Amino acid sequence: MRLMTTNTPPIITILTDFGTNDGYVGTMKGVILGILPHAQIVDITNQIQPQNILQAASVLSDAYRYFPPETVHLVVVDPGVGSARDPIALETPSGIFVAPDNGVLTYVRLEAESFHAVKLDNPDYWLPTPSSTFHGRDIFSPAAAHLASGVPIAKMGSVRADVTILPLPQITITPTTIQGEAIRIDHFGNVLTNIAYFHWVDDDTLELQPTYQQNEVTAPIRIKAADVQVTAGWHTLTGIYRTYSDVAPGQHVALIGSRGELEVSLNQGNASETMSIRVGAPVTIQLS
Amino acid sequence: MRLMTTNTPPIITILTDFGTNDGYVGTMKGVILGILPHAQIVDITNQIQPQNILQAASVLSDAYRYFPPETVHLVVVDPGVGSARDPIALETPSGIFVAPDNGVLTYVRLEAESFHAVKLDNPDYWLPTPSSTFHGRDIFSPAAAHLASGVPIAKMGSVRADVTILPLPQITITPTTIQGEAIRIDHFGNVLTNIAYFHWVDDDTLELQPTYQQNEVTAPIRIKAADVQVTAGWHTLTGIYRTYSDVAPGQHVALIGSRGELEVSLNQGNASETMSIRVGAPVTIQLS
Amino acid sequence: MRLMTTNTPPIITILTDFGTNDGYVGTMKGVILGILPHAQIVDITNQIQPQNILQAASVLSDAYRYFPPETVHLVVVDPGVGSARDPIALETPSGIFVAPDNGVLTYVRLEAESFHAVKLDNPDYWLPTPSSTFHGRDIFSPAAAHLASGVPIAKMGSVRADVTILPLPQITITPTTIQGEAIRIDHFGNVLTNIAYFHWVDDDTLELQPTYQQNEVTAPIRIKAADVQVTAGWHTLTGIYRTYSDVAPGQHVALIGSRGELEVSLNQGNASETMSIRVGAPVTIQLS
């Protein structure tokens, strides 16, 4: 159960592929404020590539844990709007999520220690007469506002046993290599990979934790950061570093990013462009 | 008269062509918060094409009705800033609008059952010594903040009998066709038309309501959605549907959009690009 | 000392080069709201060109004075993240600033009548175990939230005598010319110059105030606006005007912009494109 502190405004985040040219997101905020005028509304991003469910899932995974756990996260990347896919809500110890059930909550669901899911089939918490093309406005936004105002998730609709989980790109481990792939290019051109959940054990040593992204890993793997080579596209980089400016401006660098993932970057430049690396490109750590 | 509930923060929306690179909109928010620190400020969009008054009018028309009626909508698309065009405020039962009097409130004014308009000529509600190039900051933002704080519109300036209404693209109806045009391309490449104010009478039947956009319509027109053909560019599509995924991914589809308008789309793609359709292109419904 | 009014929410602005595609700024807002749930958070812009410290400094200079003086401005353009550059806070009579010490506060510092600066080296006001690549999330955002909640700057870390000031492009004055340069192109293609701090003495007369940007000016210079010529790129424009629409649509115009700077524009068009002017291009006022 959540306790609502009276002086703390409820927080709703928004993550969509709606762009910012059309007023679609503004309209959703109007609906939210009509129900919950003092909501704290935060855009995570509205620039997900149209219909790119996995990109949205990944961006959400980076962001949601930094919000208070009573936050409601409204996620509308919904190529199947108006079709048979269900609108759902998912409550976890780290946040409440409102989204179409198309896999956009894959990481959230895998990362949750426990969860409750419902189908948003109670029309009391929709706008009247929803359209078939804009459930973000007509179903998801009012549901998020009602949840943020304290309505229990059980009232929003019928219980679901689970939600859709999409297959994620997995890493391959041999005695001499860890192979993954580029899963996102950020605004700076940094190449983010699925070789993730590293942390620094000491100044020189990295440890890779087994997670759902590493289906062959059973125990933590330790590597000496200075000794490995990282291959991405035509480039091979020696060593894994801590930050961009550990190399000179204009130099490529492999490093551990802010959520523990292997990242390939160009200090003060755009590595994705200079290395011609796109999402899906293989990235390999040579261990010896 | 509006009643201000003490616990409900006043809402101000912002719609401009200022972009998001320069801090112009942030500066306007600073001015608003200096007057009304607890305002709920929502961006509708700041990505209107520079000086495109009709696009701004159309986006505003889609969004404003979804906000509480006491909301103040601040609209600054203002190619004539500093010239003879008046800064105005317009109060309607569905919202209060602050804008230059250049037609950007055309839809709002036509849709209003009643209204009061004033010229914002009372300098008590401006910043001191306004510039000639940034009335968004110096006149419109302080006016919006004062209106949202409860200052009656009558105090903001002298009464105006009416506001500027721009001519809108009209539709042409014959016994066999309804012809309109593309009036907006959205972020997804959906082609929005001025053949608008449709609703579904039953599963198969659409009704087109006469409105200000349909100058030849005197009574509602009913059509069988499956029987018509929609021509846009070089493409002819059979039937009018409810949502994108009523056709297979990669297929074009004509449908009724979320505000009742005829829309031409590509399921999980960009119809404007694949069909080479721009704003102003004719779109026709063949009735037989 | 600042007095916090209990009913006034603390304001935090955000200015970064993080773009809006990745959720980085949303994550920072999550951190802020975890500390200060009722903060008023305003984006100045997140579209600074990657690593362009001077552009960020200039945009900040335009915006901050329009916010209440107790506002905390969070500025993260940080090419040296994780390196030896200090994270700092700077308190001035016009605002409190949190930023890396790389010169991004140059204008703020030069414009301040007085200031206190600290290095943000007290880990009580960081997130636990900060990363090396995202101090915006781990150090700057929590520091801004704590400052906005009323923690005195002296508690945030050790005193610094001063902060980094970058050299700014200066103007050159002769008996017949004032020569400066383009320092920013805005969203509309207006060319903003460093010939700044003009004001209109009367309808015809401009006065240029000596400031830190004009190292050769010792006394105000007065000019007759109609008599001068402004040269930018291959174009020479006669007279300096008040606003864009003082010339016909499609005509170039030199005018005094909303912060007193000489600006070269195209009425209802993009002067930077039509005149082929980029940042750094010389712009000259011919006085006789």
Side-chain angles (χ1 to χ4, degrees), chain B residues 17-18 20-22 24 26-27 30-31 37 39 81 83 132-133 137, chain C residues 8-9 40 44-45 47 59 63 66-67 186-188 242-243 245 258:
Chain B
D17 61 351
F18 288 169
T20 55
N21 294 7
D22 294 303
Y24 294 150
T27 298
V31 171
V81 60
S83 72
S132 297
T133 57
R137 179 190 69 192
Chain C
T8 301
Q40 264 285 10
I44 303 292
T45 178
Q47 303 286 3
V59 170
Y66 289 90
F67 284 83
D186 79 3
H187 174 71
F188 296 98
R242 288 173 176 270
T243 191
S245 54
S258 60

PDB file of all heavy atoms in Angstrom, chain B residues 17-18 20-22 24 26-27 30-31 37 39 81 83 132-133 137, chain C residues 8-9 40 44-45 47 59 63 66-67 186-188 242-243 245 258:
ATOM      1  N   ASP B  17       5.979  29.508 -31.758  1.00  0.00           N
ATOM      2  CA  ASP B  17       6.896  29.063 -32.814  1.00  0.00           C
ATOM      3  C   ASP B  17       8.341  29.385 -32.437  1.00  0.00           C
ATOM      4  O   ASP B  17       9.196  29.529 -33.319  1.00  0.00           O
ATOM      5  CB  ASP B  17       6.525  29.728 -34.158  1.00  0.00           C
ATOM      6  CG  ASP B  17       6.631  31.255 -34.117  1.00  0.00           C
ATOM      7  OD1 ASP B  17       6.817  31.841 -33.028  1.00  0.00           O
ATOM      8  OD2 ASP B  17       6.525  31.880 -35.194  1.00  0.00           O
ATOM      9  N   PHE B  18       8.622  29.426 -31.132  1.00  0.00           N
ATOM     10  CA  PHE B  18       9.937  29.870 -30.659  1.00  0.00           C
ATOM     11  C   PHE B  18      10.991  28.765 -30.698  1.00  0.00           C
ATOM     12  O   PHE B  18      12.170  29.035 -30.473  1.00  0.00           O
ATOM     13  CB  PHE B  18       9.840  30.406 -29.232  1.00  0.00           C
ATOM     14  CG  PHE B  18       9.145  31.734 -29.116  1.00  0.00           C
ATOM     15  CD1 PHE B  18       8.776  32.236 -27.878  1.00  0.00           C
ATOM     16  CD2 PHE B  18       8.860  32.494 -30.238  1.00  0.00           C
ATOM     17  CE1 PHE B  18       8.135  33.469 -27.763  1.00  0.00           C
ATOM     18  CE2 PHE B  18       8.217  33.727 -30.134  1.00  0.00           C
ATOM     19  CZ  PHE B  18       7.864  34.213 -28.895  1.00  0.00           C
ATOM     20  N   THR B  20      12.968  25.333 -29.239  1.00  0.00           N
ATOM     21  CA  THR B  20      13.425  25.035 -27.876  1.00  0.00           C
ATOM     22  C   THR B  20      14.926  25.210 -27.718  1.00  0.00           C
ATOM     23  O   THR B  20      15.511  24.773 -26.734  1.00  0.00           O
ATOM     24  CB  THR B  20      13.048  23.585 -27.502  1.00  0.00           C
ATOM     25  OG1 THR B  20      13.577  22.710 -28.502  1.00  0.00           O
ATOM     26  CG2 THR B  20      11.548  23.409 -27.430  1.00  0.00           C
ATOM     27  N   ASN B  21      15.566  25.900 -28.679  1.00  0.00           N
ATOM     28  CA  ASN B  21      17.023  26.029 -28.627  1.00  0.00           C
ATOM     29  C   ASN B  21      17.511  27.268 -27.879  1.00  0.00           C
ATOM     30  O   ASN B  21      18.688  27.334 -27.515  1.00  0.00           O
ATOM     31  CB  ASN B  21      17.600  26.127 -30.050  1.00  0.00           C
ATOM     32  CG  ASN B  21      17.410  24.873 -30.841  1.00  0.00           C
ATOM     33  OD1 ASN B  21      16.731  23.941 -30.388  1.00  0.00           O
ATOM     34  ND2 ASN B  21      17.991  24.812 -32.017  1.00  0.00           N
ATOM     35  N   ASP B  22      16.673  28.262 -27.706  1.00  0.00           N
ATOM     36  CA  ASP B  22      17.162  29.599 -27.360  1.00  0.00           C
ATOM     37  C   ASP B  22      16.864  30.082 -25.950  1.00  0.00           C
ATOM     38  O   ASP B  22      17.359  31.118 -25.548  1.00  0.00           O
ATOM     39  CB  ASP B  22      16.544  30.627 -28.327  1.00  0.00           C
ATOM     40  CG  ASP B  22      17.029  30.432 -29.738  1.00  0.00           C
ATOM     41  OD1 ASP B  22      18.252  30.479 -29.928  1.00  0.00           O
ATOM     42  OD2 ASP B  22      16.207  30.212 -30.632  1.00  0.00           O
ATOM     43  N   TYR B  24      13.978  31.239 -25.115  1.00  0.00           N
ATOM     44  CA  TYR B  24      12.913  32.241 -25.163  1.00  0.00           C
ATOM     45  C   TYR B  24      11.698  31.790 -24.336  1.00  0.00           C
ATOM     46  O   TYR B  24      11.106  32.581 -23.594  1.00  0.00           O
ATOM     47  CB  TYR B  24      12.468  32.485 -26.610  1.00  0.00           C
ATOM     48  CG  TYR B  24      13.520  33.117 -27.501  1.00  0.00           C
ATOM     49  CD1 TYR B  24      13.538  32.856 -28.870  1.00  0.00           C
ATOM     50  CD2 TYR B  24      14.483  33.974 -26.984  1.00  0.00           C
ATOM     51  CE1 TYR B  24      14.495  33.446 -29.704  1.00  0.00           C
ATOM     52  CE2 TYR B  24      15.439  34.558 -27.818  1.00  0.00           C
ATOM     53  CZ  TYR B  24      15.439  34.294 -29.167  1.00  0.00           C
ATOM     54  OH  TYR B  24      16.379  34.862 -29.988  1.00  0.00           O
ATOM     55  N   GLY B  26      11.691  29.511 -21.924  1.00  0.00           N
ATOM     56  CA  GLY B  26      12.106  29.483 -20.524  1.00  0.00           C
ATOM     57  C   GLY B  26      12.030  30.864 -19.899  1.00  0.00           C
ATOM     58  O   GLY B  26      11.579  31.027 -18.755  1.00  0.00           O
ATOM     59  N   THR B  27      12.447  31.877 -20.645  1.00  0.00           N
ATOM     60  CA  THR B  27      12.375  33.245 -20.143  1.00  0.00           C
ATOM     61  C   THR B  27      10.929  33.657 -19.871  1.00  0.00           C
ATOM     62  O   THR B  27      10.630  34.277 -18.841  1.00  0.00           O
ATOM     63  CB  THR B  27      13.033  34.194 -21.166  1.00  0.00           C
ATOM     64  OG1 THR B  27      14.399  33.825 -21.302  1.00  0.00           O
ATOM     65  CG2 THR B  27      12.934  35.644 -20.721  1.00  0.00           C
ATOM     66  N   GLY B  30       9.891  32.259 -16.674  1.00  0.00           N
ATOM     67  CA  GLY B  30      10.429  33.031 -15.557  1.00  0.00           C
ATOM     68  C   GLY B  30       9.559  34.225 -15.228  1.00  0.00           C
ATOM     69  O   GLY B  30       9.283  34.504 -14.064  1.00  0.00           O
ATOM     70  N   VAL B  31       9.112  34.917 -16.275  1.00  0.00           N
ATOM     71  CA  VAL B  31       8.234  36.073 -16.067  1.00  0.00           C
ATOM     72  C   VAL B  31       6.922  35.629 -15.399  1.00  0.00           C
ATOM     73  O   VAL B  31       6.442  36.262 -14.449  1.00  0.00           O
ATOM     74  CB  VAL B  31       7.945  36.772 -17.412  1.00  0.00           C
ATOM     75  CG1 VAL B  31       6.864  37.827 -17.258  1.00  0.00           C
ATOM     76  CG2 VAL B  31       9.229  37.393 -17.960  1.00  0.00           C
ATOM     77  N   PRO B  37       3.932  32.240  -8.696  1.00  0.00           N
ATOM     78  CA  PRO B  37       4.958  31.207  -8.507  1.00  0.00           C
ATOM     79  C   PRO B  37       4.427  29.786  -8.525  1.00  0.00           C
ATOM     80  O   PRO B  37       5.173  28.848  -8.813  1.00  0.00           O
ATOM     81  CB  PRO B  37       5.539  31.534  -7.121  1.00  0.00           C
ATOM     82  CG  PRO B  37       5.123  32.931  -6.831  1.00  0.00           C
ATOM     83  CD  PRO B  37       3.844  33.163  -7.551  1.00  0.00           C
ATOM     84  N   ALA B  39       2.015  28.614 -10.492  1.00  0.00           N
ATOM     85  CA  ALA B  39       1.315  28.266 -11.732  1.00  0.00           C
ATOM     86  C   ALA B  39       1.702  26.867 -12.198  1.00  0.00           C
ATOM     87  O   ALA B  39       2.840  26.439 -12.049  1.00  0.00           O
ATOM     88  CB  ALA B  39       1.663  29.287 -12.818  1.00  0.00           C
ATOM     89  N   VAL B  81       5.128  41.252 -34.481  1.00  0.00           N
ATOM     90  CA  VAL B  81       5.478  41.799 -33.159  1.00  0.00           C
ATOM     91  C   VAL B  81       5.991  43.235 -33.285  1.00  0.00           C
ATOM     92  O   VAL B  81       6.799  43.539 -34.148  1.00  0.00           O
ATOM     93  CB  VAL B  81       6.512  40.902 -32.442  1.00  0.00           C
ATOM     94  CG1 VAL B  81       7.798  40.760 -33.225  1.00  0.00           C
ATOM     95  CG2 VAL B  81       6.784  41.417 -31.035  1.00  0.00           C
ATOM     96  N   SER B  83       4.422  45.776 -34.301  1.00  0.00           N
ATOM     97  CA  SER B  83       3.718  46.576 -35.305  1.00  0.00           C
ATOM     98  C   SER B  83       2.318  46.925 -34.801  1.00  0.00           C
ATOM     99  O   SER B  83       2.018  46.806 -33.615  1.00  0.00           O
ATOM    100  CB  SER B  83       3.634  45.798 -36.618  1.00  0.00           C
ATOM    101  OG  SER B  83       2.697  44.738 -36.491  1.00  0.00           O
ATOM    102  N   SER B 132      10.463  45.964 -28.371  1.00  0.00           N
ATOM    103  CA  SER B 132       9.655  45.938 -29.597  1.00  0.00           C
ATOM    104  C   SER B 132       9.701  44.597 -30.303  1.00  0.00           C
ATOM    105  O   SER B 132       9.025  44.393 -31.305  1.00  0.00           O
ATOM    106  CB  SER B 132      10.161  47.017 -30.573  1.00  0.00           C
ATOM    107  OG  SER B 132       9.995  48.298 -30.005  1.00  0.00           O
ATOM    108  N   THR B 133      10.521  43.651 -29.801  1.00  0.00           N
ATOM    109  CA  THR B 133      10.718  42.394 -30.527  1.00  0.00           C
ATOM    110  C   THR B 133      10.330  41.162 -29.726  1.00  0.00           C
ATOM    111  O   THR B 133      10.335  40.061 -30.267  1.00  0.00           O
ATOM    112  CB  THR B 133      12.198  42.229 -30.934  1.00  0.00           C
ATOM    113  OG1 THR B 133      13.000  42.305 -29.757  1.00  0.00           O
ATOM    114  CG2 THR B 133      12.616  43.299 -31.921  1.00  0.00           C
ATOM    115  N   ARG B 137       7.528  37.821 -23.986  1.00  0.00           N
ATOM    116  CA  ARG B 137       8.116  38.006 -22.657  1.00  0.00           C
ATOM    117  C   ARG B 137       7.539  39.217 -21.938  1.00  0.00           C
ATOM    118  O   ARG B 137       7.240  39.150 -20.743  1.00  0.00           O
ATOM    119  CB  ARG B 137       9.632  38.182 -22.815  1.00  0.00           C
ATOM    120  CG  ARG B 137      10.417  38.404 -21.539  1.00  0.00           C
ATOM    121  CD  ARG B 137      11.860  38.814 -21.841  1.00  0.00           C
ATOM    122  NE  ARG B 137      11.927  40.155 -22.434  1.00  0.00           N
ATOM    123  CZ  ARG B 137      12.999  40.684 -23.002  1.00  0.00           C
ATOM    124  NH1 ARG B 137      14.123  39.989 -23.070  1.00  0.00           N
ATOM    125  NH2 ARG B 137      12.958  41.898 -23.516  1.00  0.00           N
TER     126      ARG B 137
ATOM    127  N   THR C   8       5.365  29.605  -1.506  1.00  0.00           N
ATOM    128  CA  THR C   8       5.963  29.770  -2.822  1.00  0.00           C
ATOM    129  C   THR C   8       6.849  28.581  -3.129  1.00  0.00           C
ATOM    130  O   THR C   8       7.814  28.333  -2.427  1.00  0.00           O
ATOM    131  CB  THR C   8       6.794  31.075  -2.847  1.00  0.00           C
ATOM    132  OG1 THR C   8       5.940  32.158  -2.554  1.00  0.00           O
ATOM    133  CG2 THR C   8       7.435  31.258  -4.203  1.00  0.00           C
ATOM    134  N   PRO C   9       6.523  27.836  -4.167  1.00  0.00           N
ATOM    135  CA  PRO C   9       7.379  26.678  -4.472  1.00  0.00           C
ATOM    136  C   PRO C   9       8.751  27.134  -4.924  1.00  0.00           C
ATOM    137  O   PRO C   9       8.888  28.132  -5.627  1.00  0.00           O
ATOM    138  CB  PRO C   9       6.627  25.978  -5.604  1.00  0.00           C
ATOM    139  CG  PRO C   9       5.750  27.010  -6.199  1.00  0.00           C
ATOM    140  CD  PRO C   9       5.420  27.985  -5.121  1.00  0.00           C
ATOM    141  N   GLN C  40       9.202  23.747  -8.555  1.00  0.00           N
ATOM    142  CA  GLN C  40       8.803  24.222  -9.888  1.00  0.00           C
ATOM    143  C   GLN C  40      10.024  24.056 -10.784  1.00  0.00           C
ATOM    144  O   GLN C  40      11.015  24.782 -10.620  1.00  0.00           O
ATOM    145  CB  GLN C  40       8.467  25.708  -9.841  1.00  0.00           C
ATOM    146  CG  GLN C  40       7.035  26.088  -9.678  1.00  0.00           C
ATOM    147  CD  GLN C  40       6.203  25.907 -10.942  1.00  0.00           C
ATOM    148  OE1 GLN C  40       6.644  25.321 -11.925  1.00  0.00           O
ATOM    149  NE2 GLN C  40       4.991  26.416 -10.881  1.00  0.00           N
ATOM    150  N   ILE C  44      15.149  25.737 -19.373  1.00  0.00           N
ATOM    151  CA  ILE C  44      15.538  26.872 -20.227  1.00  0.00           C
ATOM    152  C   ILE C  44      15.741  26.330 -21.637  1.00  0.00           C
ATOM    153  O   ILE C  44      15.074  26.726 -22.578  1.00  0.00           O
ATOM    154  CB  ILE C  44      16.829  27.554 -19.713  1.00  0.00           C
ATOM    155  CG1 ILE C  44      16.670  28.016 -18.277  1.00  0.00           C
ATOM    156  CG2 ILE C  44      17.217  28.704 -20.639  1.00  0.00           C
ATOM    157  CD1 ILE C  44      15.715  29.145 -18.069  1.00  0.00           C
ATOM    158  N   THR C  45      16.661  25.425 -21.796  1.00  0.00           N
ATOM    159  CA  THR C  45      16.758  24.639 -23.031  1.00  0.00           C
ATOM    160  C   THR C  45      17.626  23.435 -22.721  1.00  0.00           C
ATOM    161  O   THR C  45      18.488  23.478 -21.830  1.00  0.00           O
ATOM    162  CB  THR C  45      17.386  25.432 -24.192  1.00  0.00           C
ATOM    163  OG1 THR C  45      17.470  24.570 -25.339  1.00  0.00           O
ATOM    164  CG2 THR C  45      18.791  25.905 -23.874  1.00  0.00           C
ATOM    165  N   GLN C  47      18.903  21.994 -25.604  1.00  0.00           N
ATOM    166  CA  GLN C  47      19.356  21.877 -26.992  1.00  0.00           C
ATOM    167  C   GLN C  47      20.607  22.693 -27.254  1.00  0.00           C
ATOM    168  O   GLN C  47      20.863  23.075 -28.406  1.00  0.00           O
ATOM    169  CB  GLN C  47      18.237  22.325 -27.941  1.00  0.00           C
ATOM    170  CG  GLN C  47      16.941  21.563 -27.792  1.00  0.00           C
ATOM    171  CD  GLN C  47      16.976  20.158 -28.344  1.00  0.00           C
ATOM    172  OE1 GLN C  47      18.010  19.698 -28.806  1.00  0.00           O
ATOM    173  NE2 GLN C  47      15.850  19.470 -28.299  1.00  0.00           N
ATOM    174  N   VAL C  59      22.988  31.906 -23.634  1.00  0.00           N
ATOM    175  CA  VAL C  59      21.554  31.657 -23.453  1.00  0.00           C
ATOM    176  C   VAL C  59      21.161  31.875 -21.993  1.00  0.00           C
ATOM    177  O   VAL C  59      20.142  32.487 -21.686  1.00  0.00           O
ATOM    178  CB  VAL C  59      21.188  30.228 -23.918  1.00  0.00           C
ATOM    179  CG1 VAL C  59      19.771  29.868 -23.505  1.00  0.00           C
ATOM    180  CG2 VAL C  59      21.349  30.105 -25.436  1.00  0.00           C
ATOM    181  N   ALA C  63      18.357  34.635 -20.034  1.00  0.00           N
ATOM    182  CA  ALA C  63      17.169  34.122 -19.347  1.00  0.00           C
ATOM    183  C   ALA C  63      17.135  34.390 -17.844  1.00  0.00           C
ATOM    184  O   ALA C  63      16.076  34.681 -17.289  1.00  0.00           O
ATOM    185  CB  ALA C  63      17.039  32.619 -19.584  1.00  0.00           C
ATOM    186  N   TYR C  66      15.140  37.067 -15.682  1.00  0.00           N
ATOM    187  CA  TYR C  66      13.686  37.100 -15.721  1.00  0.00           C
ATOM    188  C   TYR C  66      13.050  36.139 -14.722  1.00  0.00           C
ATOM    189  O   TYR C  66      11.826  36.052 -14.650  1.00  0.00           O
ATOM    190  CB  TYR C  66      13.197  36.839 -17.149  1.00  0.00           C
ATOM    191  CG  TYR C  66      13.500  38.021 -18.036  1.00  0.00           C
ATOM    192  CD1 TYR C  66      14.690  38.118 -18.727  1.00  0.00           C
ATOM    193  CD2 TYR C  66      12.616  39.092 -18.102  1.00  0.00           C
ATOM    194  CE1 TYR C  66      14.992  39.224 -19.491  1.00  0.00           C
ATOM    195  CE2 TYR C  66      12.900  40.206 -18.867  1.00  0.00           C
ATOM    196  CZ  TYR C  66      14.100  40.268 -19.563  1.00  0.00           C
ATOM    197  OH  TYR C  66      14.384  41.381 -20.316  1.00  0.00           O
ATOM    198  N   PHE C  67      13.872  35.440 -13.965  1.00  0.00           N
ATOM    199  CA  PHE C  67      13.361  34.564 -12.900  1.00  0.00           C
ATOM    200  C   PHE C  67      13.511  35.253 -11.553  1.00  0.00           C
ATOM    201  O   PHE C  67      14.385  36.106 -11.382  1.00  0.00           O
ATOM    202  CB  PHE C  67      14.128  33.237 -12.886  1.00  0.00           C
ATOM    203  CG  PHE C  67      13.714  32.314 -13.996  1.00  0.00           C
ATOM    204  CD1 PHE C  67      14.244  32.445 -15.267  1.00  0.00           C
ATOM    205  CD2 PHE C  67      12.765  31.323 -13.767  1.00  0.00           C
ATOM    206  CE1 PHE C  67      13.840  31.610 -16.298  1.00  0.00           C
ATOM    207  CE2 PHE C  67      12.359  30.483 -14.794  1.00  0.00           C
ATOM    208  CZ  PHE C  67      12.887  30.625 -16.057  1.00  0.00           C
ATOM    209  N   ASP C 186      19.570  32.376 -33.766  1.00  0.00           N
ATOM    210  CA  ASP C 186      18.458  31.801 -33.012  1.00  0.00           C
ATOM    211  C   ASP C 186      17.575  30.929 -33.906  1.00  0.00           C
ATOM    212  O   ASP C 186      17.866  30.733 -35.100  1.00  0.00           O
ATOM    213  CB  ASP C 186      17.678  32.886 -32.245  1.00  0.00           C
ATOM    214  CG  ASP C 186      16.714  33.679 -33.101  1.00  0.00           C
ATOM    215  OD1 ASP C 186      16.551  33.394 -34.304  1.00  0.00           O
ATOM    216  OD2 ASP C 186      16.084  34.607 -32.548  1.00  0.00           O
ATOM    217  N   HIS C 187      16.531  30.383 -33.325  1.00  0.00           N
ATOM    218  CA  HIS C 187      15.616  29.452 -34.014  1.00  0.00           C
ATOM    219  C   HIS C 187      15.029  30.053 -35.282  1.00  0.00           C
ATOM    220  O   HIS C 187      14.724  29.325 -36.234  1.00  0.00           O
ATOM    221  CB  HIS C 187      14.509  29.091 -33.027  1.00  0.00           C
ATOM    222  CG  HIS C 187      13.411  28.260 -33.583  1.00  0.00           C
ATOM    223  ND1 HIS C 187      13.567  26.934 -33.918  1.00  0.00           N
ATOM    224  CD2 HIS C 187      12.111  28.559 -33.868  1.00  0.00           C
ATOM    225  CE1 HIS C 187      12.427  26.458 -34.375  1.00  0.00           C
ATOM    226  NE2 HIS C 187      11.524  27.410 -34.357  1.00  0.00           N
ATOM    227  N   PHE C 188      14.848  31.376 -35.320  1.00  0.00           N
ATOM    228  CA  PHE C 188      14.268  32.037 -36.484  1.00  0.00           C
ATOM    229  C   PHE C 188      15.316  32.400 -37.533  1.00  0.00           C
ATOM    230  O   PHE C 188      14.979  32.942 -38.583  1.00  0.00           O
ATOM    231  CB  PHE C 188      13.533  33.310 -36.057  1.00  0.00           C
ATOM    232  CG  PHE C 188      12.342  33.051 -35.164  1.00  0.00           C
ATOM    233  CD1 PHE C 188      12.442  33.181 -33.789  1.00  0.00           C
ATOM    234  CD2 PHE C 188      11.125  32.661 -35.707  1.00  0.00           C
ATOM    235  CE1 PHE C 188      11.350  32.935 -32.969  1.00  0.00           C
ATOM    236  CE2 PHE C 188      10.031  32.420 -34.896  1.00  0.00           C
ATOM    237  CZ  PHE C 188      10.139  32.550 -33.518  1.00  0.00           C
ATOM    238  N   ARG C 242      13.506  49.165 -34.931  1.00  0.00           N
ATOM    239  CA  ARG C 242      13.021  48.658 -33.654  1.00  0.00           C
ATOM    240  C   ARG C 242      12.480  47.236 -33.715  1.00  0.00           C
ATOM    241  O   ARG C 242      12.545  46.498 -32.744  1.00  0.00           O
ATOM    242  CB  ARG C 242      11.912  49.573 -33.105  1.00  0.00           C
ATOM    243  CG  ARG C 242      12.451  50.893 -32.611  1.00  0.00           C
ATOM    244  CD  ARG C 242      11.341  51.851 -32.230  1.00  0.00           C
ATOM    245  NE  ARG C 242      11.901  53.073 -31.684  1.00  0.00           N
ATOM    246  CZ  ARG C 242      12.167  53.268 -30.389  1.00  0.00           C
ATOM    247  NH1 ARG C 242      11.871  52.342 -29.503  1.00  0.00           N
ATOM    248  NH2 ARG C 242      12.695  54.397 -29.986  1.00  0.00           N
ATOM    249  N   THR C 243      11.910  46.855 -34.859  1.00  0.00           N
ATOM    250  CA  THR C 243      11.316  45.522 -34.915  1.00  0.00           C
ATOM    251  C   THR C 243      11.299  45.020 -36.355  1.00  0.00           C
ATOM    252  O   THR C 243      11.529  45.772 -37.301  1.00  0.00           O
ATOM    253  CB  THR C 243       9.902  45.506 -34.288  1.00  0.00           C
ATOM    254  OG1 THR C 243       9.484  44.138 -34.142  1.00  0.00           O
ATOM    255  CG2 THR C 243       8.892  46.255 -35.137  1.00  0.00           C
ATOM    256  N   SER C 245       8.997  43.973 -38.392  1.00  0.00           N
ATOM    257  CA  SER C 245       7.998  44.427 -39.348  1.00  0.00           C
ATOM    258  C   SER C 245       8.130  45.921 -39.652  1.00  0.00           C
ATOM    259  O   SER C 245       7.273  46.496 -40.305  1.00  0.00           O
ATOM    260  CB  SER C 245       6.601  44.100 -38.832  1.00  0.00           C
ATOM    261  OG  SER C 245       6.434  44.622 -37.539  1.00  0.00           O
ATOM    262  N   SER C 258      15.842  42.136 -28.091  1.00  0.00           N
ATOM    263  CA  SER C 258      15.129  42.244 -26.822  1.00  0.00           C
ATOM    264  C   SER C 258      16.048  42.305 -25.614  1.00  0.00           C
ATOM    265  O   SER C 258      15.591  42.499 -24.502  1.00  0.00           O
ATOM    266  CB  SER C 258      14.158  41.071 -26.680  1.00  0.00           C
ATOM    267  OG  SER C 258      14.857  39.849 -26.718  1.00  0.00           O
TER     268      SER C 258
END
